[in-house]
Amino acid sequence: QIAANLKALGITSQLGVAVIGKNSRYFIAQCIAVMECDAVVMPLSHQIKTEEINKIIKTTGLHAILDDQ
């Protein structure tokens, strides 16, 4: 279901998607869903600060961010 939703939002091959969360089955499911879209997964800690996220977005050109919250 997650992969289908990502594809509906336009996530396709080679696009970068950050996955933010704690180590859990939901985090793993989101990472797998991104890979099912042939997109690039960037796993990030749930403890990352907003300023750091903004810097990562600017330097990597992420197209989406998934959060387990």
Side-chain angles (χ1 to χ4, degrees):
Q1 183 66 34
I2 299 170
N5 290 339
L6 290 171
K7 289 177 183 178
L9 291 171
I11 300 300
T12 59
S13 178
Q14 304 299 315
L15 296 182
V17 179
V19 178
I20 303 172
K22 297 179 182 177
N23 292 336
S24 69
R25 63 179 177 228
Y26 305 109
F27 183 81
I28 299 300
Q30 290 176 333
C31 289
I32 291 170
V34 173
M35 290 185 278
E36 286 178 10
C37 297
D38 293 324
V40 179
V41 180
M42 178 175 282
L44 299 173
S45 170
H46 68 283
Q47 297 174 330
I48 195 166
K49 297 181 180 182
T50 303
E51 303 85 42
E52 294 173 284
I53 292 172
N54 290 334
K55 184 176 179 181
I56 290 169
I57 291 169
K58 288 179 185 175
T59 59
T60 63
L62 290 173
H63 291 83
I65 298 174
L66 298 178
D67 191 332
D68 69 355
Q69 297 292 321

